[in-house]
Every structure is written in structure tokens, then in C-alpha cells.
Amino acid sequence: MLFLYLDAAVCRHLTLVGPAHPWTGAKFSSAWGTRVILDTTVVQPDLVAEIRADTSIDRGGVYRQPIRYVRLRLDASVEDVPRLGGGPAAVAG
């Protein structure tokens, strides 16, 4: 799950999900242990975004830096992206 603050240029490419989606009505918090509920909108997972991520993990197993959005990749489809956990062969392309 990736939470982003997106501009209007990206938002016009998003498609809202219908009320039958399993996450409709779900509540999300900003961090473990916080009671602050995020204002979220569930969209179809049919776009590819380029991100920047630091893979440093602290002793508690938590990533040290947040993921940064770089740009929307309209030249790629979700089928072009290897699934998380697909192994080294999937990442190598």
C-alpha cells in the first residue's frame, strides 16, 4: 500500500473503485500506534508509478525513509512490472 499526495495531473488518470471493493470503508492510520485516521480514496490498481526508495532498515525492521513518488509511468502497464516477491529473475526483467 502506498499513500501519496498527488496533483491534479495524476488524479485525472485514476479510476475510483465501486462500493463492492473489499477495502471500501476501511480505515487506515499513518503509523503503528497512532490514532490519527487518514482520509483515503480507494482507486483501481491499474497504473504504474516510478518511486524512489531507500532500503535502509532500522533494528526494529522498519524502513528508515518514506517512499517518494517520482512520476506516473503511462508508458508501462501493471503487466510490465514484476510482482513483489517474484524473486531475482523477476526483478532482473
Side-chain angles (χ1 to χ4, degrees):
M1 183 177 315
L2 179 63
F3 293 98
L4 301 171
Y5 294 100
L6 303 173
D7 62 20
V10 173
C11 290
R12 77 171 141 250
H13 294 284
L14 300 175
T15 305
L16 297 176
V17 299
H21 191 279
W23 288 3
T24 299
K27 306 280 187 213
F28 301 97
S29 62
S30 60
W32 291 109
T34 184
R35 295 177 191 251
V36 176
I37 301 298
L38 297 173
D39 181 27
T40 59
T41 302
V42 183
V43 297
Q44 291 290 348
D46 56 0
L47 295 173
V48 176
E50 183 176 336
I51 60 169
R52 184 175 315 141
D54 180 348
T55 58
S56 300
I57 300 175
D58 68 17
R59 293 182 202 187
V62 176
Y63 287 98
R64 296 173 135 192
Q65 304 295 326
I67 293 172
R68 304 280 184 212
Y69 169 78
V70 176
R71 64 186 171 126
L72 190 60
R73 294 291 306 268
L74 296 176
D75 61 326
S77 72
V78 293
E79 290 81 22
D80 297 329
V81 181
R83 293 213 175 261
L84 185 62
V91 175

